[in-house]
Amino acid sequence: MDIVLQTSNLSKNYSGIRALNNLNIALPSGKIIGLLGPNGSGKTTLIKLIAGLLTPTEGSIEVCGVPVGPETKSMISYLPDRVYFNQSQTVEQLLNYFQDFYADFDRQRAVSMLSMLRIPMNVKFKTLSKGAREKVQLALVMSRRAKLYLLDEPIAGVDPAARDFILHTIVTNYDPTATVLISTHLIADVEPVLDEFLFINMGQIICLGSVDDMRDKTGKTLDELFREVFKCLPSL
């Protein structure tokens, strides 16, 4: 099985404070993986480092064997935890932007998803509800033919029906040879789609593995294991 993401002794400091501490991770292709931990555990920092938005203090990151940099931008499709679009643009203008900017953007796939959502192309992004904005962003991100999808809190702040649609979109709209890394606090909601999990706390990976294997060995759901592990650990 190919390794899509590899980190070696990865650390990140902010003004002398250690946000990530000596992470060594190898994520295989064809998996949906949950990056799970309490607030301040280092999830968003790790995702931004992988996306090339931050520079490591120490260590290295490779995507498909290539050090993170300009070349890996075409391999990664990133959904941040906040809106980054020009909100005065229409949905169609956002599609045009993605088509111009990303060579791997599948416009027809995006149009099909947005049609299913009954989101008209001529409406301005800022006029949409929060749930609709989340769906538009996800439809655009998942319509790229990337090797690694980084999704930071993709189901936060939307209703349960919207969560179901978003998770279905993730499962059905990524290349089976690609990897999806999802950061979320809503573990019970996302658990049914996960193949593997990483528990992170205070910048260190404290537990990882196959979700199915974990359930077989412990008899617990991932949500139950998370609550058990993190109720005993300090957090930032």
Side-chain angles (χ1 to χ4, degrees), residues 35-37 43 151-156 182-187 190:
L35 178 62
L36 313 171
K43 300 187 300 296
L151 310 179
D152 197 354
E153 296 290 351
I155 57 175
I182 304 175
S183 169
T184 184
H185 290 97
L186 301 172
I187 299 168
V190 79

Side-chain angles (χ1 to χ4, degrees), residues 74-170:
S74 63
M75 304 176 188
I76 296 171
S77 191
Y78 170 50
L79 177 69
D81 61 350
R82 62 191 65 191
V83 174
Y84 67 102
F85 295 150
N86 180 345
Q87 298 195 50
S88 65
Q89 290 187 316
T90 65
V91 173
E92 185 168 18
Q93 287 172 328
L94 291 174
L95 263 69
N96 293 339
Y97 170 79
F98 262 64
Q99 188 169 14
D100 290 342
F101 203 77
Y102 299 110
D104 63 355
F105 181 64
D106 185 339
R107 187 186 183 100
Q108 187 52 51
R109 175 191 278 185
V111 169
S112 176
M113 281 193 275
L114 294 170
S115 176
M116 289 173 58
L117 292 167
R118 299 180 181 177
I119 295 176
M121 293 292 175
N122 61 347
V123 298
K124 289 189 176 181
F125 185 79
K126 66 183 178 182
T127 67
L128 297 171
S129 68
K130 178 176 175 58
R133 292 197 300 270
E134 296 273 4
K135 293 174 187 176
V136 170
Q137 291 183 103
L138 186 71
L140 292 171
V141 167
M142 296 305 298
S143 292
R144 288 187 54 203
R145 302 287 184 178
K147 295 296 185 183
L148 176 62
Y149 297 87
L150 303 174
L151 310 179
D152 197 354
E153 296 290 351
I155 57 175
V158 298
D159 62 77
R163 290 177 198 166
D164 289 343
F165 178 86
I166 287 170
L167 293 173
H168 175 76
T169 299
I170 292 168

